[in-house]
Each structure stands twice: as C-alpha cells, then as structure tokens.
Coordinates of all heavy atoms in Angstrom, one line a residue:
M25 N 0.8 -1.2 0.0 CA 0.0 0.0 0.0 C 0.9 1.3 0.0 O 0.6 2.2 -0.7 CB -0.9 0.0 1.2 CG -1.8 1.2 1.4 SD -3.1 1.1 0.2 CE -4.0 2.5 0.6
K26 N 1.9 1.2 0.8 CA 2.8 2.4 0.9 C 3.6 2.6 -0.4 O 3.8 3.7 -0.8 CB 3.8 2.2 2.1 CG 4.4 3.4 2.6 CD 5.2 3.1 3.8 CE 5.6 4.3 4.6 NZ 6.4 4.1 5.8
G27 N 3.9 1.5 -1.0 CA 4.6 1.6 -2.3 C 3.8 2.2 -3.4 O 4.3 3.0 -4.2
R28 N 2.5 1.9 -3.4 CA 1.6 2.5 -4.4 C 1.4 4.0 -4.2 O 1.4 4.7 -5.2 CB 0.2 1.8 -4.3 CG 0.2 0.4 -4.8 CD -1.2 -0.2 -4.7 NE -1.2 -1.6 -5.1 CZ -2.3 -2.3 -5.1 NH1 -3.4 -1.9 -4.6 NH2 -2.2 -3.6 -5.5
V29 N 1.3 4.4 -3.0 CA 1.2 5.9 -2.7 C 2.4 6.6 -3.2 O 2.3 7.7 -3.9 CB 1.0 6.1 -1.2 CG1 1.0 7.6 -0.9 CG2 -0.3 5.5 -0.7
I30 N 3.6 6.1 -2.9 CA 4.9 6.7 -3.4 C 4.9 6.7 -4.9 O 5.3 7.7 -5.5 CB 6.1 6.0 -2.8 CG1 6.1 6.2 -1.3 CG2 7.4 6.4 -3.4 CD1 7.2 5.4 -0.5
F31 N 4.5 5.6 -5.5 CA 4.5 5.5 -7.0 C 3.6 6.6 -7.6 O 3.9 7.3 -8.5 CB 4.0 4.1 -7.4 CG 3.9 3.9 -8.9 CD1 5.1 3.8 -9.6 CD2 2.7 3.8 -9.5 CE1 5.0 3.6 -11.0 CE2 2.6 3.6 -10.9 CZ 3.8 3.6 -11.6
F32 N 2.4 6.8 -7.0 CA 1.4 7.8 -7.5 C 2.0 9.2 -7.3 O 1.8 10.1 -8.2 CB 0.0 7.6 -6.9 CG -0.7 6.5 -7.5 CD1 -1.1 5.4 -6.7 CD2 -1.0 6.4 -8.8 CE1 -1.8 4.4 -7.2 CE2 -1.7 5.3 -9.4 CZ -2.1 4.3 -8.5
V33 N 2.6 9.4 -6.2 CA 3.2 10.8 -6.0 C 4.3 11.1 -7.0 O 4.4 12.2 -7.5 CB 3.8 10.9 -4.5 CG1 4.6 12.1 -4.3 CG2 2.6 10.8 -3.5
V34 N 5.1 10.1 -7.3 CA 6.1 10.2 -8.3 C 5.5 10.5 -9.7 O 6.0 11.4 -10.5 CB 7.1 9.0 -8.4 CG1 8.0 9.1 -9.6 CG2 7.9 8.9 -7.1
L35 N 4.5 9.8 -10.1 CA 3.8 10.0 -11.3 C 3.2 11.4 -11.4 O 3.3 12.0 -12.5 CB 2.7 9.0 -11.5 CG 3.1 7.6 -12.0 CD1 1.9 6.7 -12.1 CD2 3.8 7.7 -13.3
I36 N 2.6 11.9 -10.3 CA 2.0 13.2 -10.3 C 3.1 14.3 -10.5 O 3.0 15.2 -11.2 CB 1.2 13.5 -9.0 CG1 -0.1 12.6 -9.1 CG2 0.9 14.9 -8.9 CD1 -0.8 12.6 -7.8
G37 N 4.3 14.0 -9.9 CA 5.4 14.9 -10.0 C 5.9 15.0 -11.5 O 6.2 16.0 -12.0
L38 N 6.0 13.8 -12.1 CA 6.5 13.8 -13.5 C 5.5 14.4 -14.4 O 5.8 15.1 -15.4 CB 6.7 12.3 -13.9 CG 7.9 11.6 -13.3 CD1 7.9 10.1 -13.7 CD2 9.2 12.3 -13.8
A39 N 4.2 14.3 -14.2 CA 3.2 14.9 -15.0 C 3.3 16.4 -14.8 O 3.1 17.2 -15.8 CB 1.8 14.4 -14.6
F40 N 3.5 16.9 -13.6 CA 3.7 18.4 -13.4 C 4.9 18.9 -14.2 O 4.8 20.0 -14.8 CB 3.8 18.6 -11.9 CG 4.0 20.1 -11.6 CD1 2.9 21.0 -11.7 CD2 5.2 20.6 -11.2 CE1 3.1 22.3 -11.4 CE2 5.4 21.9 -11.0 CZ 4.3 22.8 -11.1
V41 N 6.0 18.2 -14.1 CA 7.2 18.7 -14.8 C 7.0 18.6 -16.4 O 7.4 19.6 -17.1 CB 8.4 17.8 -14.5 CG1 9.6 18.0 -15.3 CG2 8.7 18.0 -13.0
A42 N 6.3 17.6 -16.9 CA 6.0 17.5 -18.3 C 5.1 18.7 -18.7 O 5.3 19.2 -19.8 CB 5.4 16.2 -18.6
T43 N 4.1 19.0 -17.9 CA 3.2 20.1 -18.3 C 3.9 21.4 -18.3 O 3.7 22.2 -19.2 CB 2.0 20.1 -17.3 OG1 1.4 18.9 -17.2 CG2 1.0 21.2 -17.7
A44 N 4.8 21.7 -17.4 CA 5.6 22.9 -17.3 C 6.5 23.0 -18.5 O 6.6 24.1 -19.2 CB 6.4 23.0 -16.0
S45 N 7.1 21.9 -18.9 CA 8.0 21.9 -20.1 C 7.2 22.1 -21.4 O 7.6 22.9 -22.3 CB 8.7 20.5 -20.2 OG 9.4 20.4 -21.4
L46 N 6.0 21.6 -21.5 CA 5.1 21.8 -22.6 C 4.7 23.2 -22.8 O 4.7 23.8 -23.9 CB 3.9 20.9 -22.6 CG 3.0 20.9 -23.8 CD1 3.7 20.4 -25.0 CD2 1.8 19.9 -23.5
D47 N 4.4 23.9 -21.7 CA 4.0 25.3 -21.7 C 5.1 26.2 -22.1 O 4.9 27.1 -22.9 CB 3.5 25.7 -20.3 CG 2.2 25.2 -19.9 OD1 1.4 24.7 -20.8 OD2 1.8 25.2 -18.7
E48 N 6.4 25.9 -21.7 CA 7.5 26.6 -22.2 C 7.7 26.5 -23.7 O 8.0 27.5 -24.3 CB 8.8 26.2 -21.4 CG 8.8 26.6 -20.0 CD 10.0 26.1 -19.3 OE1 10.9 25.6 -20.0 OE2 10.1 26.2 -18.0
S49 N 7.6 25.3 -24.2 CA 7.8 25.1 -25.6 C 6.7 25.8 -26.4 O 7.0 26.4 -27.5 CB 7.8 23.6 -26.0 OG 6.6 23.0 -25.8
R50 N 5.5 25.8 -26.0 CA 4.4 26.5 -26.7 C 4.6 28.0 -26.6 O 4.4 28.7 -27.6 CB 3.0 26.2 -26.0 CG 2.5 24.9 -26.3 CD 1.2 24.7 -25.7 NE 0.7 23.3 -25.9 CZ -0.4 22.8 -25.4 NH1 -1.1 23.6 -24.5 NH2 -0.8 21.6 -25.7
Q51 N 5.2 28.5 -25.5 CA 5.5 30.0 -25.4 C 6.5 30.4 -26.4 O 6.4 31.4 -27.1 CB 5.9 30.3 -24.0 CG 6.3 31.7 -23.7 CD 5.1 32.5 -23.3 OE1 4.1 32.0 -23.0 NE2 5.3 33.8 -23.3
S52 N 7.6 29.6 -26.5 CA 8.7 29.9 -27.4 C 8.2 29.8 -28.9 O 8.6 30.6 -29.7 CB 9.9 29.1 -27.2 OG 9.6 27.7 -27.5
S53 N 7.4 28.8 -29.2 CA 6.9 28.7 -30.6 C 6.0 29.9 -30.9 O 6.0 30.3 -32.1 CB 6.2 27.4 -30.8 OG 5.0 27.3 -30.1
L54 N 5.2 30.3 -30.0 CA 4.3 31.5 -30.2 C 5.2 32.7 -30.5 O 4.9 33.5 -31.3 CB 3.4 31.7 -29.0 CG 2.4 32.8 -29.1 CD1 1.5 32.6 -30.3 CD2 1.7 33.0 -27.8
E55 N 6.3 32.9 -29.7 CA 7.1 34.1 -29.9 C 7.8 34.1 -31.3 O 7.9 35.1 -31.9 CB 8.2 34.1 -28.8 CG 7.6 34.5 -27.5 CD 8.7 34.4 -26.4 OE1 9.8 34.0 -26.7 OE2 8.3 34.6 -25.2
T56 N 8.2 32.9 -31.8 CA 8.8 32.9 -33.1 C 7.8 33.1 -34.2 O 8.1 33.7 -35.2 CB 9.5 31.5 -33.3 OG1 8.6 30.5 -33.2 CG2 10.7 31.4 -32.4
R57 N 6.6 32.7 -34.0 CA 5.5 33.0 -35.0 C 5.2 34.5 -35.1 O 4.9 35.0 -36.2 CB 4.2 32.2 -34.7 CG 4.2 30.9 -35.4 CD 2.8 30.3 -35.2 NE 2.9 29.5 -34.1 CZ 1.9 29.2 -33.2 NH1 0.8 29.7 -33.4 NH2 2.1 28.4 -32.2
L58 N 5.3 35.2 -34.0 CA 4.9 36.6 -34.0 C 6.1 37.5 -34.4 O 5.9 38.7 -34.5 CB 4.4 37.0 -32.6 CG 3.1 36.3 -32.2 CD1 2.7 36.7 -30.8 CD2 2.0 36.6 -33.2
K59 N 7.2 37.0 -34.6 CA 8.4 37.8 -34.9 C 8.3 38.3 -36.3 O 8.0 37.6 -37.2 CB 9.7 36.9 -34.7 CG 10.9 37.7 -35.1 CD 12.1 36.8 -34.9 CE 13.3 37.5 -35.4 NZ 14.5 36.7 -35.5
R60 N 8.6 39.6 -36.5 CA 8.6 40.2 -37.8 C 9.9 40.7 -38.1 O 10.7 41.1 -37.2 CB 7.5 41.3 -37.9 CG 6.1 40.9 -37.8 CD 5.2 42.0 -38.0 NE 3.8 41.5 -37.9 CZ 2.8 42.3 -38.0 NH1 2.9 43.5 -38.2 NH2 1.6 41.7 -37.9
E61 N 10.3 40.8 -39.4 CA 11.6 41.2 -39.8 C 11.4 42.3 -40.8 O 10.6 42.2 -41.8 CB 12.4 40.1 -40.4 CG 13.8 40.5 -40.8 CD 14.5 39.3 -41.4 OE1 14.2 38.1 -41.1 OE2 15.5 39.5 -42.1
T62 N 12.1 43.4 -40.7 CA 12.1 44.5 -41.6 C 13.3 44.4 -42.6 O 14.4 44.3 -42.1 CB 12.1 45.9 -40.9 OG1 11.0 45.9 -40.0 CG2 12.0 47.0 -41.9
I63 N 13.0 44.5 -43.9 CA 14.1 44.5 -44.9 C 14.1 45.8 -45.5 O 13.0 46.3 -46.0 CB 13.8 43.4 -46.0 CG1 13.7 42.0 -45.3 CG2 14.8 43.4 -47.0 CD1 13.2 41.0 -46.3
M64 N 15.2 46.5 -45.6 CA 15.3 47.8 -46.2 C 15.6 47.5 -47.7 O 16.5 46.9 -48.1 CB 16.5 48.6 -45.6 CG 16.4 48.8 -44.1 SD 14.8 49.6 -43.7 CE 15.1 51.2 -44.2
V65 N 14.7 48.1 -48.5 CA 14.7 48.0 -50.0 C 15.4 49.2 -50.5 O 14.9 50.3 -50.3 CB 13.3 47.8 -50.6 CG1 13.4 47.7 -52.1 CG2 12.7 46.6 -50.0
K66 N 16.5 49.1 -51.2 CA 17.2 50.2 -51.8 C 16.7 50.5 -53.2 O 17.3 50.0 -54.2 CB 18.7 50.0 -51.8 CG 19.3 49.9 -50.4 CD 20.8 49.7 -50.4 CE 21.3 49.6 -49.0 NZ 22.8 49.4 -49.0
S67 N 15.6 51.2 -53.3 CA 15.1 51.5 -54.6 C 14.8 53.0 -54.6 O 14.3 53.5 -53.7 CB 13.8 50.7 -54.8 OG 13.1 51.1 -56.0
P68 N 15.1 53.7 -55.8 CA 14.8 55.1 -55.8 C 13.3 55.5 -55.6 O 13.0 56.5 -55.1 CB 15.4 55.5 -57.1 CG 15.4 54.3 -58.0 CD 15.6 53.2 -57.0
K69 N 12.4 54.6 -56.0 CA 11.0 54.9 -55.9 C 10.4 54.4 -54.6 O 9.2 54.5 -54.3 CB 10.3 54.2 -57.1 CG 10.7 54.8 -58.4 CD 9.9 54.1 -59.5 CE 10.4 54.6 -60.9 NZ 9.7 53.9 -61.9
G70 N 11.2 53.7 -53.7 CA 10.7 53.2 -52.5 C 10.5 51.7 -52.6 O 11.2 51.0 -53.4
C71 N 9.6 51.2 -51.8 CA 9.4 49.7 -51.8 C 8.5 49.3 -53.0 O 7.4 49.9 -53.2 CB 8.7 49.4 -50.5 SG 8.4 47.6 -50.2
V72 N 8.9 48.3 -53.7 CA 8.1 47.7 -54.8 C 7.5 46.4 -54.2 O 8.1 45.6 -53.7 CB 9.0 47.4 -56.0 CG1 8.1 46.9 -57.1 CG2 9.7 48.7 -56.4
F73 N 6.1 46.4 -54.3 CA 5.4 45.3 -53.5 C 5.8 43.9 -54.0 O 5.9 43.0 -53.2 CB 3.9 45.5 -53.6 CG 3.3 45.2 -55.0 CD1 2.7 44.0 -55.2 CD2 3.3 46.1 -56.0 CE1 2.2 43.7 -56.4 CE2 2.7 45.8 -57.2 CZ 2.2 44.6 -57.5
Y74 N 6.0 43.7 -55.3 CA 6.3 42.3 -55.7 C 7.7 41.9 -55.3 O 8.0 40.8 -55.1 CB 6.1 42.1 -57.2 CG 6.8 43.1 -58.1 CD1 8.1 42.8 -58.6 CD2 6.2 44.3 -58.6 CE1 8.8 43.6 -59.4 CE2 6.9 45.1 -59.4 CZ 8.2 44.8 -59.8 OH 8.9 45.7 -60.6
E75 N 8.6 42.9 -55.3 CA 10.0 42.6 -54.8 C 10.0 42.3 -53.3 O 10.7 41.4 -52.9 CB 10.9 43.7 -55.1 CG 11.3 44.0 -56.5 CD 12.2 45.2 -56.7 OE1 12.6 45.8 -55.7 OE2 12.6 45.4 -57.9
C76 N 9.2 43.0 -52.6 CA 9.1 42.8 -51.1 C 8.5 41.4 -50.9 O 9.0 40.6 -50.0 CB 8.2 43.8 -50.5 SG 7.9 43.6 -48.8
I77 N 7.4 41.0 -51.6 CA 6.8 39.7 -51.4 C 7.8 38.6 -51.7 O 8.0 37.6 -51.0 CB 5.5 39.6 -52.2 CG1 4.5 40.5 -51.7 CG2 5.0 38.1 -52.2 CD1 3.3 40.6 -52.6
A78 N 8.5 38.8 -52.8 CA 9.5 37.7 -53.3 C 10.6 37.6 -52.3 O 11.0 36.5 -52.0 CB 10.0 38.1 -54.7
R79 N 11.2 38.7 -51.8 CA 12.3 38.6 -50.8 C 11.9 38.0 -49.5 O 12.6 37.2 -49.0 CB 12.9 40.0 -50.6 CG 13.6 40.5 -51.7 CD 14.2 41.9 -51.4 NE 14.9 42.4 -52.6 CZ 15.6 43.5 -52.6 NH1 15.8 44.2 -51.5 NH2 16.1 43.9 -53.7
C80 N 10.7 38.3 -49.1 CA 10.2 37.7 -47.8 C 10.0 36.2 -48.0 O 10.3 35.4 -47.1 CB 8.9 38.4 -47.4 SG 9.2 40.0 -46.7
R81 N 9.4 35.8 -49.1 CA 9.2 34.3 -49.4 C 10.5 33.6 -49.5 O 10.6 32.4 -49.1 CB 8.3 34.1 -50.6 CG 6.9 34.5 -50.3 CD 6.0 34.1 -51.4 NE 4.6 34.5 -51.0 CZ 3.6 34.6 -51.9 NH1 3.8 34.3 -53.2 NH2 2.4 34.9 -51.4
Q82 N 11.5 34.2 -50.1 CA 12.9 33.6 -50.2 C 13.5 33.4 -48.8 O 14.2 32.4 -48.6 CB 13.8 34.4 -51.0 CG 13.6 34.4 -52.5 CD 14.5 35.3 -53.3 OE1 15.2 36.1 -52.7 NE2 14.5 35.1 -54.6
R83 N 13.2 34.3 -47.9 CA 13.7 34.2 -46.5 C 12.9 33.2 -45.6 O 13.2 33.0 -44.5 CB 13.7 35.5 -45.8 CG 14.8 36.4 -46.4 CD 14.7 37.7 -45.7 NE 15.9 38.5 -46.0 CZ 16.7 39.1 -45.2 NH1 16.3 39.2 -43.9 NH2 17.7 39.8 -45.5
G84 N 11.8 32.6 -46.2 CA 11.0 31.6 -45.4 C 9.7 32.1 -44.9 O 9.0 31.4 -44.2
Y85 N 9.3 33.4 -45.1 CA 8.0 33.9 -44.7 C 7.0 33.6 -45.8 O 6.9 34.3 -46.8 CB 8.1 35.4 -44.4 CG 9.1 35.7 -43.3 CD1 10.4 36.1 -43.5 CD2 8.6 35.7 -42.0 CE1 11.3 36.4 -42.5 CE2 9.5 36.0 -40.9 CZ 10.8 36.3 -41.2 OH 11.7 36.6 -40.2
L86 N 6.2 32.6 -45.6 CA 5.3 32.1 -46.6 C 4.1 33.1 -46.9 O 3.5 33.1 -48.0 CB 4.7 30.7 -46.2 CG 5.8 29.6 -46.1 CD1 5.1 28.3 -45.7 CD2 6.5 29.4 -47.4
S87 N 3.8 33.9 -45.9 CA 2.8 34.9 -46.1 C 3.2 36.1 -46.9 O 2.4 37.0 -47.2 CB 2.2 35.4 -44.8 OG 1.7 34.3 -44.1
G88 N 4.5 36.2 -47.2 CA 5.0 37.3 -48.0 C 5.3 38.5 -47.1 O 5.7 38.4 -46.0
G89 N 5.0 39.7 -47.6 CA 5.2 40.9 -46.9 C 4.5 42.1 -47.5 O 3.8 42.0 -48.5
Y90 N 4.6 43.3 -46.9 CA 4.0 44.5 -47.4 C 4.9 45.7 -47.3 O 5.8 45.6 -46.4 CB 2.6 44.7 -46.7 CG 2.8 45.0 -45.2 CD1 2.9 46.3 -44.7 CD2 2.8 43.9 -44.3 CE1 3.0 46.5 -43.4 CE2 2.9 44.1 -43.0 CZ 3.0 45.4 -42.5 OH 3.1 45.6 -41.2
C91 N 4.7 46.7 -48.1 CA 5.6 47.9 -48.1 C 5.1 48.9 -47.0 O 3.9 49.1 -46.8 CB 5.6 48.5 -49.4 SG 6.3 47.5 -50.7
T92 N 6.1 49.5 -46.3 CA 5.8 50.6 -45.4 C 6.8 51.7 -45.8 O 7.6 51.6 -46.7 CB 6.1 50.2 -44.0 OG1 7.5 49.8 -43.8 CG2 5.3 49.0 -43.5
I93 N 6.6 52.8 -45.1 CA 7.5 54.0 -45.3 C 9.0 53.6 -45.1 O 9.9 54.0 -45.8 CB 7.1 55.2 -44.4 CG1 5.7 55.6 -44.9 CG2 8.1 56.3 -44.5 CD1 5.1 56.7 -43.9
N94 N 9.2 52.8 -44.1 CA 10.6 52.4 -43.7 C 11.2 51.2 -44.5 O 12.3 50.9 -44.3 CB 10.6 52.0 -42.2 CG 10.2 53.2 -41.3 OD1 10.5 54.3 -41.6 ND2 9.5 52.9 -40.2
G95 N 10.4 50.6 -45.3 CA 10.9 49.5 -46.1 C 9.9 48.4 -46.2 O 8.7 48.6 -46.1
C96 N 10.4 47.2 -46.3 CA 9.5 46.0 -46.5 C 9.3 45.3 -45.1 O 10.3 45.0 -44.4 CB 10.2 45.0 -47.5 SG 9.3 43.5 -47.8
Q97 N 8.1 45.0 -44.8 CA 7.7 44.3 -43.5 C 7.3 42.9 -43.9 O 6.3 42.7 -44.5 CB 6.6 45.1 -42.8 CG 6.3 44.6 -41.5 CD 7.3 44.9 -40.4 OE1 8.0 45.9 -40.6 NE2 7.4 44.2 -39.4
C98 N 8.0 41.9 -43.4 CA 7.7 40.5 -43.7 C 6.7 40.0 -42.6 O 6.7 40.3 -41.5 CB 8.9 39.6 -43.6 SG 10.1 40.0 -44.9
L99 N 5.8 39.1 -43.1 CA 4.8 38.6 -42.3 C 5.1 37.1 -42.0 O 5.5 36.4 -42.9 CB 3.4 38.6 -42.9 CG 2.9 40.0 -43.3 CD1 1.6 39.9 -44.1 CD2 2.6 40.8 -42.0
G100 N 5.0 36.7 -40.7 CA 5.4 35.4 -40.3 C 4.4 34.3 -40.5 O 3.3 34.2 -40.9

C-alpha cells in the first residue's frame, strides 16, 4: 500500500514537470511565429510590392510581406 502511494506521488510529479515543459515550448513557438523582420529595400522609388513579397518568401516567410515607409515588412 505504501509503495503504491509513493508511486502515484512520483507519477504526479512527473506529470507536473512535463506540463511545465510543454507550456515553455508553446510559449517559445508562439514568440517565433509573431516575430517580424524589416528588410530595407534600396530602390529610388521606395518599396516595390512584388519585390518585397518575393524577398520575404525567399527568406522563409510564406505569407510574404507588405511595403511601409521604412521598407519591407515580412509577415510570419
């Protein structure tokens, strides 16, 4: 009987540690999804939308990007 109680306490402890670890990994994956990157486009006319989309997709941002006053903004 005493052995079973100790076994269940250890299982509960392991479940708690696994849950905490899972929460940390979800937090870090959420932060990487929300990260945006600004690419400065050196064009005399400013940002050209199709160049911005192409450069962002080459860098791995599948949603492309959009032009702003400061340059090209990639979407994650």
Side-chain angles (χ1 to χ4, degrees):
M25 178 74 177
K26 199 174 195 181
R28 289 182 183 176
V29 172
I30 293 172
F31 178 72
F32 285 121
V33 169
V34 169
L35 280 179
I36 291 171
L38 288 175
F40 179 73
V41 170
T43 305
S45 172
L46 184 61
D47 287 342
E48 287 178 9
S49 67
R50 285 184 183 170
Q51 179 89 12
S52 64
S53 67
L54 180 63
E55 289 173 359
T56 56
R57 265 189 268 149
L58 296 178
K59 181 182 173 189
R60 293 185 179 180
E61 183 178 339
T62 302
I63 301 170
M64 300 305 287
V65 178
K66 295 181 181 179
S67 174
K69 297 179 183 178
C71 182
V72 180
F73 74 95
Y74 57 87
E75 289 179 359
C76 177
I77 293 171
R79 287 183 186 188
C80 288
R81 286 189 178 163
Q82 284 178 349
R83 289 178 166 226
Y85 296 95
L86 298 178
S87 299
Y90 62 92
C91 293
T92 64
I93 295 173
N94 298 327
C96 180
Q97 186 75 25
C98 293
L99 300 172

